[in-house]
Amino acid sequence: SGFAPRRFDVTAQAMKQFPELASLEMMHRIGVTHVVVHLTEGMEDRRAPIDASPSLRLMAAESDIAIYRFVH
């Protein structure tokens, strides 16, 4: 349809930096409670910073998918 919610571009840009602090702060502001991460090609280098983040707690993992809960 071509419709994009207000602030979509700002949110999308912040999410590209996940798990950097700016993306975690944005998620907190918009009410995100859980994050599903597909640990596929290109994401392997992000796994250690995600696991080390004090804002995220691993809830479940299987194969190449991990579910994290926000710890606010």
Side-chain angles (χ1 to χ4, degrees):
S1 74
F3 173 78
R6 192 169 22 136
R7 298 193 45 87
F8 174 81
D9 292 335
V10 172
T11 303
Q13 190 62 31
M15 295 309 106
K16 287 181 182 179
Q17 304 305 315
F18 178 79
E20 296 293 325
L21 183 58
S23 65
L24 296 172
E25 289 173 346
M26 170 75 73
M27 289 179 180
H28 177 70
R29 279 195 305 275
I30 63 175
V32 172
T33 60
H34 290 77
V35 179
V36 177
V37 179
H38 295 265
L39 302 167
T40 56
E41 188 174 322
M43 288 297 292
E44 302 91 348
D45 60 332
R46 294 187 187 193
R47 180 69 188 261
I50 293 169
D51 287 340
S53 173
S55 298
L56 299 170
R57 178 160 298 134
L58 180 64
M59 301 303 296
E62 186 173 316
S63 186
D64 63 349
I65 297 175
I67 301 172
Y68 295 85
R69 178 175 58 88
F70 256 92
V71 180
H72 298 290

